[in-house]
PDB file of all heavy atoms in Angstrom:
ATOM      1  N   TYR A 208     178.331  88.762 130.339  1.00 98.00           N
ATOM      2  CA  TYR A 208     176.968  88.214 130.263  1.00 98.00           C
ATOM      3  C   TYR A 208     176.970  86.734 130.669  1.00 98.00           C
ATOM      4  O   TYR A 208     176.152  86.298 131.475  1.00 98.00           O
ATOM      5  CB  TYR A 208     176.422  88.384 128.841  1.00 98.00           C
ATOM      6  CG  TYR A 208     175.165  87.590 128.565  1.00 98.00           C
ATOM      7  CD1 TYR A 208     173.909  88.086 128.908  1.00 98.00           C
ATOM      8  CD2 TYR A 208     175.245  86.327 127.965  1.00 98.00           C
ATOM      9  CE1 TYR A 208     172.759  87.342 128.660  1.00 98.00           C
ATOM     10  CE2 TYR A 208     174.099  85.581 127.717  1.00 98.00           C
ATOM     11  CZ  TYR A 208     172.860  86.093 128.067  1.00 98.00           C
ATOM     12  OH  TYR A 208     171.735  85.353 127.829  1.00 98.00           O
ATOM     13  N   ASN A 209     177.923  85.989 130.125  1.00 98.00           N
ATOM     14  CA  ASN A 209     177.967  84.540 130.382  1.00 98.00           C
ATOM     15  C   ASN A 209     178.198  84.202 131.845  1.00 98.00           C
ATOM     16  O   ASN A 209     177.843  83.121 132.293  1.00 98.00           O
ATOM     17  CB  ASN A 209     179.078  83.888 129.547  1.00 98.00           C
ATOM     18  CG  ASN A 209     178.679  83.773 128.084  1.00 98.00           C
ATOM     19  OD1 ASN A 209     177.495  83.834 127.758  1.00 98.00           O
ATOM     20  ND2 ASN A 209     179.666  83.627 127.206  1.00 98.00           N
ATOM     21  N   THR A 210     178.806  85.136 132.596  1.00 97.00           N
ATOM     22  CA  THR A 210     179.130  84.835 133.990  1.00 97.00           C
ATOM     23  C   THR A 210     178.238  85.605 134.962  1.00 97.00           C
ATOM     24  O   THR A 210     178.453  85.573 136.170  1.00 97.00           O
ATOM     25  CB  THR A 210     180.607  85.164 134.285  1.00 97.00           C
ATOM     26  OG1 THR A 210     180.867  86.507 133.859  1.00 97.00           O
ATOM     27  CG2 THR A 210     181.541  84.220 133.543  1.00 97.00           C
ATOM     28  N   ASN A 211     177.230  86.342 134.431  1.00 98.00           N
ATOM     29  CA  ASN A 211     176.323  87.091 135.303  1.00 98.00           C
ATOM     30  C   ASN A 211     174.961  86.396 135.280  1.00 98.00           C
ATOM     31  O   ASN A 211     174.221  86.488 134.305  1.00 98.00           O
ATOM     32  CB  ASN A 211     176.224  88.540 134.804  1.00 98.00           C
ATOM     33  CG  ASN A 211     175.348  89.400 135.698  1.00 98.00           C
ATOM     34  OD1 ASN A 211     174.229  89.008 136.037  1.00 98.00           O
ATOM     35  ND2 ASN A 211     175.846  90.548 136.085  1.00 98.00           N
ATOM     36  N   GLU A 212     174.655  85.701 136.376  1.00 98.00           N
ATOM     37  CA  GLU A 212     173.435  84.883 136.415  1.00 98.00           C
ATOM     38  C   GLU A 212     172.167  85.699 136.156  1.00 98.00           C
ATOM     39  O   GLU A 212     171.274  85.262 135.436  1.00 98.00           O
ATOM     40  CB  GLU A 212     173.316  84.153 137.766  1.00 98.00           C
ATOM     41  CG  GLU A 212     174.331  83.029 137.947  1.00 98.00           C
ATOM     42  CD  GLU A 212     174.249  81.965 136.856  1.00 98.00           C
ATOM     43  OE1 GLU A 212     173.136  81.520 136.539  1.00 98.00           O
ATOM     44  OE2 GLU A 212     175.314  81.590 136.309  1.00 98.00           O
ATOM     45  N   GLU A 213     172.106  86.909 136.764  1.00 98.00           N
ATOM     46  CA  GLU A 213     170.896  87.738 136.605  1.00 98.00           C
ATOM     47  C   GLU A 213     170.650  88.058 135.130  1.00 98.00           C
ATOM     48  O   GLU A 213     169.537  87.916 134.633  1.00 98.00           O
ATOM     49  CB  GLU A 213     171.011  89.069 137.363  1.00 98.00           C
ATOM     50  CG  GLU A 213     170.604  89.000 138.807  1.00 98.00           C
ATOM     51  CD  GLU A 213     171.813  88.929 139.713  1.00 98.00           C
ATOM     52  OE1 GLU A 213     172.947  89.047 139.179  1.00 98.00           O
ATOM     53  OE2 GLU A 213     171.629  88.751 140.929  1.00 98.00           O
ATOM     54  N   LEU A 214     171.708  88.505 134.458  1.00 98.00           N
ATOM     55  CA  LEU A 214     171.541  88.890 133.052  1.00 98.00           C
ATOM     56  C   LEU A 214     171.274  87.663 132.183  1.00 98.00           C
ATOM     57  O   LEU A 214     170.427  87.689 131.285  1.00 98.00           O
ATOM     58  CB  LEU A 214     172.785  89.636 132.558  1.00 98.00           C
ATOM     59  CG  LEU A 214     173.037  90.999 133.221  1.00 98.00           C
ATOM     60  CD1 LEU A 214     174.347  91.597 132.742  1.00 98.00           C
ATOM     61  CD2 LEU A 214     171.878  91.958 132.938  1.00 98.00           C
ATOM     62  N   LYS A 215     171.996  86.602 132.452  1.00 98.00           N
ATOM     63  CA  LYS A 215     171.899  85.387 131.648  1.00 98.00           C
ATOM     64  C   LYS A 215     170.517  84.746 131.758  1.00 98.00           C
ATOM     65  O   LYS A 215     169.975  84.237 130.778  1.00 98.00           O
ATOM     66  CB  LYS A 215     172.974  84.402 132.120  1.00 98.00           C
ATOM     67  CG  LYS A 215     173.442  83.497 131.025  1.00 98.00           C
ATOM     68  CD  LYS A 215     174.594  82.649 131.465  1.00 98.00           C
ATOM     69  CE  LYS A 215     174.653  81.458 130.529  1.00 98.00           C
ATOM     70  NZ  LYS A 215     175.648  80.486 130.957  1.00 98.00           N
ATOM     71  N   ASN A 216     169.960  84.780 132.964  1.00 98.00           N
ATOM     72  CA  ASN A 216     168.641  84.172 133.142  1.00 98.00           C
ATOM     73  C   ASN A 216     167.516  85.061 132.637  1.00 98.00           C
ATOM     74  O   ASN A 216     166.421  84.592 132.364  1.00 98.00           O
ATOM     75  CB  ASN A 216     168.395  83.853 134.621  1.00 98.00           C
ATOM     76  CG  ASN A 216     169.317  82.766 135.118  1.00 98.00           C
ATOM     77  OD1 ASN A 216     169.757  81.911 134.335  1.00 98.00           O
ATOM     78  ND2 ASN A 216     169.636  82.793 136.401  1.00 98.00           N
ATOM     79  N   PHE A 217     167.788  86.357 132.540  1.00 98.00           N
ATOM     80  CA  PHE A 217     166.729  87.306 132.188  1.00 98.00           C
ATOM     81  C   PHE A 217     166.653  87.568 130.681  1.00 98.00           C
ATOM     82  O   PHE A 217     165.574  87.633 130.112  1.00 98.00           O
ATOM     83  CB  PHE A 217     166.964  88.624 132.931  1.00 98.00           C
ATOM     84  CG  PHE A 217     165.761  89.531 132.951  1.00 98.00           C
ATOM     85  CD1 PHE A 217     164.758  89.348 133.900  1.00 98.00           C
ATOM     86  CD2 PHE A 217     165.624  90.570 132.032  1.00 98.00           C
ATOM     87  CE1 PHE A 217     163.642  90.177 133.928  1.00 98.00           C
ATOM     88  CE2 PHE A 217     164.512  91.403 132.051  1.00 98.00           C
ATOM     89  CZ  PHE A 217     163.520  91.204 133.005  1.00 98.00           C
ATOM     90  N   TYR A 218     167.811  87.744 130.052  1.00 98.00           N
ATOM     91  CA  TYR A 218     167.843  88.131 128.626  1.00 98.00           C
ATOM     92  C   TYR A 218     168.337  87.005 127.737  1.00 98.00           C
ATOM     93  O   TYR A 218     169.332  86.342 128.044  1.00 98.00           O
ATOM     94  CB  TYR A 218     168.765  89.338 128.415  1.00 98.00           C
ATOM     95  CG  TYR A 218     168.286  90.599 129.079  1.00 98.00           C
ATOM     96  CD1 TYR A 218     168.960  91.111 130.189  1.00 98.00           C
ATOM     97  CD2 TYR A 218     167.170  91.280 128.605  1.00 98.00           C
ATOM     98  CE1 TYR A 218     168.530  92.286 130.813  1.00 98.00           C
ATOM     99  CE2 TYR A 218     166.738  92.450 129.215  1.00 98.00           C
ATOM    100  CZ  TYR A 218     167.415  92.945 130.316  1.00 98.00           C
ATOM    101  OH  TYR A 218     166.982  94.099 130.924  1.00 98.00           O
ATOM    102  N   LYS A 219     167.685  86.886 126.607  1.00 98.00           N
ATOM    103  CA  LYS A 219     168.120  85.995 125.535  1.00 98.00           C
ATOM    104  C   LYS A 219     168.912  86.863 124.557  1.00 98.00           C
ATOM    105  O   LYS A 219     168.408  87.886 124.080  1.00 98.00           O
ATOM    106  CB  LYS A 219     166.876  85.422 124.862  1.00 98.00           C
ATOM    107  CG  LYS A 219     167.127  84.449 123.742  1.00 98.00           C
ATOM    108  CD  LYS A 219     165.850  84.257 122.925  1.00 98.00           C
ATOM    109  CE  LYS A 219     164.912  83.251 123.581  1.00 98.00           C
ATOM    110  NZ  LYS A 219     163.795  82.895 122.645  1.00 98.00           N
ATOM    111  N   VAL A 220     170.135  86.474 124.258  1.00 98.00           N
ATOM    112  CA  VAL A 220     170.974  87.253 123.340  1.00 98.00           C
ATOM    113  C   VAL A 220     170.586  86.916 121.900  1.00 98.00           C
ATOM    114  O   VAL A 220     170.560  85.746 121.520  1.00 98.00           O
ATOM    115  CB  VAL A 220     172.468  86.957 123.567  1.00 98.00           C
ATOM    116  CG1 VAL A 220     173.333  87.662 122.523  1.00 98.00           C
ATOM    117  CG2 VAL A 220     172.879  87.393 124.977  1.00 98.00           C
TER     118      VAL A 220
END
Side-chain angles (χ1 to χ4, degrees):
Y208 167 84
N209 285 340
T210 52
N211 183 311
E212 289 302 313
E213 274 101 6
L214 294 175
K215 209 174 159 186
N216 293 332
F217 196 83
Y218 295 110
K219 181 195 278 190
V220 174

